[in-house]
Amino acid sequence: MFIILFRSVVLYFVVVFIMRIMGKRQIGQLQPYELVIALMISELASMPMQNSGIPLFHGIIPIITLLVLQVLISTLQLKSEVARLIFCGLPSILIEKGKINIKALKNNRLNLNDLLEELRLKDYFNLDDIEYAILETRGQITIIPKSELEPATRKDLNVKSSQNMLPVTLILDGKVNNRNLKLIKKDKSWLIQQLNKKNVPSADQVFLALLDSQGKFIYQLKKEGK
């Protein structure tokens, strides 16, 4: 009995330590590869607790191996856009300009009732009120309402406003996203010109650069985040 108690306490602290290293995220915020690793860790930890015949290190070593794998994947997907695409995928636009994207619903195996329920939970009851609904890679749905229906509405104040656009990432960790440049009908020379206006000599020095929902160029240098 004492041995089982001791093994349970040791494995508990090992798993807590491992999960702390993996980062502060709720279950609903985990990427698919992170959720898989978390489930595998829980399964590996339960086996030595249930069976005292299994050496304790036979449970701890695989758990540490999964931790190393998670850290390597996380580092890789921070540095590589291709790795992010493989492990995290891309967000899907479910509603665009008030119209439901039926193909996106089918690709994500999301039925219409589920979509409407998610919209209601976010206090949106009419599709006409929504400019974009985006299914994020973590499974959460982001709603971008039409500009005149945002809180403290410009329409009520009789203030003219332009329609919000989707924010577009142009540089991430020093690497230029050429696909997004094409999406906004710009080229690399335009991007360099924007950086030069901010006295930034090279994209390599930029941690993040994007066009926000109002079309404003925003950036942050790597050294500013240290």
Side-chain angles (χ1 to χ4, degrees), residues 183-226:
L183 185 66
I184 62 172
K185 296 180 174 57
K186 303 291 184 182
D187 55 20
K188 200 168 183 178
S189 62
W190 172 86
L191 180 60
I192 293 173
Q193 184 180 9
Q194 298 302 311
L195 294 175
N196 289 338
K197 289 180 181 178
K198 307 292 185 180
N199 296 320
V200 179
S202 171
D204 296 336
Q205 300 180 17
V206 179
F207 176 70
L208 175 67
L210 54 84
L211 286 183
D212 67 6
S213 60
Q214 298 295 329
K216 183 180 178 181
F217 183 79
I218 296 175
Y219 75 100
Q220 178 179 324
L221 299 179
K222 292 181 180 180
K223 62 182 180 181
E224 293 175 347
K226 294 184 179 179

Side-chain angles (χ1 to χ4, degrees), residues 111-170:
N111 64 55
L112 184 59
N113 288 335
D114 291 336
L115 174 61
L116 294 176
E117 180 181 346
E118 288 293 331
L119 299 181
R120 290 194 298 270
L121 289 173
K122 294 181 181 294
D123 296 327
Y124 290 96
F125 304 100
N126 300 314
L127 290 176
D128 290 341
D129 296 342
I130 299 171
E131 188 71 11
Y132 293 100
I134 305 166
L135 180 63
E136 306 292 356
T137 56
R138 296 187 180 95
Q140 299 169 323
I141 294 180
T142 300
I143 307 295
I144 299 178
K146 292 187 175 180
S147 294
E148 66 270 15
L149 296 173
E150 291 179 345
T153 62
R154 297 177 176 91
K155 185 177 181 180
D156 292 340
L157 298 173
N158 293 320
V159 176
K160 292 183 178 180
S161 62
S162 58
Q163 177 61 53
N164 288 348
M165 57 181 287
L166 286 175
V168 180
T169 302
L170 303 177

Side-chain angles (χ1 to χ4, degrees), residues 56-94:
L56 192 58
F57 278 102
H58 285 193
I60 295 177
I61 291 175
I63 291 174
I64 295 176
T65 302
L66 288 176
L67 169 64
V68 174
L69 180 62
Q70 194 271 342
V71 171
L72 289 176
I73 293 175
S74 296
T75 303
L76 183 62
Q77 62 96 15
L78 283 173
K79 298 293 183 181
S80 170
E81 185 177 353
V82 175
R84 283 194 297 276
L85 179 62
I86 293 173
F87 291 108
C88 302
L90 289 172
S92 299
I93 299 178
L94 303 179

